[in-house]
Amino acid sequence: MNLILLSPEDLENGRLARVRDPRRLAHLRDVHRARAGDTLTLGVENGLLGRGTLLEYHNDEALFDISGLEEAPPPALPVHLVLALPRPRMLARSLEHATALGVKSLTLLNTRRVEKSYWQSPELDAEKIRHHLVLGLEQARDTQMPEVTLAKGFRPFVEDRLPELLASRRGLVAHPGMPAACPRGVNEPTLLVVGPEGGFIPWEVDKLLEAGCQGVHLGPRILRVETAVTALLSRLA
Amino acid sequence: MNLILLSPEDLENGRLARVRDPRRLAHLRDVHRARAGDTLTLGVENGLLGRGTLLEYHNDEALFDISGLEEAPPPALPVHLVLALPRPRMLARSLEHATALGVKSLTLLNTRRVEKSYWQSPELDAEKIRHHLVLGLEQARDTQMPEVTLAKGFRPFVEDRLPELLASRRGLVAHPGMPAACPRGVNEPTLLVVGPEGGFIPWEVDKLLEAGCQGVHLGPRILRVETAVTALLSRLA
């Protein structure tokens, strides 16, 4: 945690924030060994960040002066990530990696090789997803909360939703064996589609290409989803 | 497992290989539902890969015909990774990521902010390390086993070992706040030094720069070690 992220409910007014949840309190106690008067790096969700003073620290509450937060969060990565829903533990890590790397829009997509049971995982609860996004933001010292949407049907997503997304973005589908290498350092808005373990089926690749995505690869090596997500985003950054 | 990696002990002669360990046998049974006559992707450690035929499959043994393996492994990434020893679980994943991305030499380094206890972890046993390297190779369909060395003293490594490594490699130390962005797509032999959670101390950065490394950064975001390793290697690839 390189920043203590304050949610809207923590804010008392523009000058004070009160932290009450056990996770952040434990972090303040165990990692920062926090005491009243300490200054710490704080950020307001979807707002500014900077150094703030811990005014009071009790077992069940920490009160911060946040009037000194003046720094903008780091620039977002202009990549909308469309990720075939990974198995739960890999989903958790992929959300953290993508958020830490600056992704602000993320769609979890159903594809043929996504196991049906993954859609029943408690990791898809809004609170669980939010938890991993918060961890990613805290890691990267960012405050801008990503938006995560679920697309439980491949065809409706590709036929109805994708065209409008691609109206203002370059689309890339990462798949082994595609003709072009993944581009480097794109500054324009980009939509990146990453398949499941085992890959897209050929029909899915065709549909994504037909919709206007360009097929790209990362070389001959087959990577785990979480490695591929980080490797692709880093290459695009 | 996108390839079944055969170790030297598995080889009967140039034409046959016998797999006896429970992990690979379980994978053959549960994932491949393997039966005699099936062809599977096989690779010989530090050798060729390709399709091989399963001649016999029993509960305690699988016998393969490997006479048809003719493919070279994918090109190595010409990066020697020097990684401050991470905590055990992150070490495991970092070894797998780096191996899957094609790293062939890896040094685990002590630095001030590496917790002493990490050097006592069973994850550092040669067999455990090898296990994670094998997983990375199997994932990436590679056969060339990386070499991992331990450098338990920072100063001896930097003063005695690093100069000879840098005689034939460009050295990069990844550290937040360094003046240059990490280069993209290097084809020349490179040594990449990545610090621990919490970073190098300034004296360590100075020593690495004095030894001839160039300081590079990945932008304003602070990444977890495993995310940073993948992001840096992908950018260099």
Side-chain angles (χ1 to χ4, degrees), chain B residues 4-75:
Chain B
I4 293 158
L5 190 67
L6 304 164
S7 69
E9 306 90 70
D10 300 328
L11 306 183
E12 293 257 312
N13 50 47
R15 305 186 56 87
L16 293 175
R18 216 174 276 275
V19 165
R20 292 194 185 90
D21 67 296
R23 185 182 70 89
R24 286 177 298 171
L25 288 172
H27 185 86
L28 285 166
R29 184 187 64 228
D30 301 337
V31 179
H32 291 291
R33 306 187 188 286
R35 299 168 58 167
D38 290 354
T39 60
L40 293 155
T41 302
L42 308 174
V44 172
E45 189 175 320
N46 294 323
L48 299 172
L49 58 103
R51 303 286 288 178
T53 305
L54 181 58
L55 299 174
E56 296 176 21
Y57 178 75
H58 310 288
N59 282 336
D60 57 349
E61 189 177 287
L63 181 68
F64 290 98
D65 173 356
I66 56 166
S67 58
L69 311 188
E70 296 183 334
E71 208 181 311

Side-chain angles (χ1 to χ4, degrees), chain B residues 189-237:
Chain B
T190 302
L191 180 135
L192 172 68
V193 192
V194 178
E197 298 291 318
F200 291 113
I201 62 170
W203 177 82
E204 289 165 343
V205 175
D206 290 345
K207 291 292 281 183
L208 290 163
L209 297 177
E210 272 168 35
C213 291
Q214 183 195 355
V216 298
H217 68 78
L218 264 185
R221 296 173 177 278
I222 302 173
L223 301 176
R224 288 168 69 182
V225 164
E226 61 170 323
T227 319
V229 164
T230 300
L232 287 159
L233 293 175
S234 168
R235 209 171 143 109
L236 294 174

Side-chain angles (χ1 to χ4, degrees), chain A residues 117-173:
Chain A
S117 65
Y118 297 172
W119 290 103
Q120 263 68 58
S121 164
E123 286 291 331
L124 282 181
D125 294 351
E127 273 309 298
K128 281 291 189 87
I129 286 183
R130 185 182 149 84
H131 174 66
H132 295 293
L133 304 178
V134 167
L135 292 179
L137 292 178
E138 288 175 344
Q139 171 63 45
R141 276 198 189 148
D142 194 356
T143 63
Q144 287 188 74
M145 186 65 67
E147 262 187 54
V148 176
T149 51
L150 308 186
K152 296 189 185 179
F154 180 84
R155 190 194 279 264
F157 175 77
V158 172
E159 293 182 356
D160 305 336
R161 182 102 180 80
L162 190 55
E164 69 190 81
L165 287 167
L166 292 181
S168 54
R169 288 174 187 82
R170 173 183 190 177
L172 303 174
V173 50

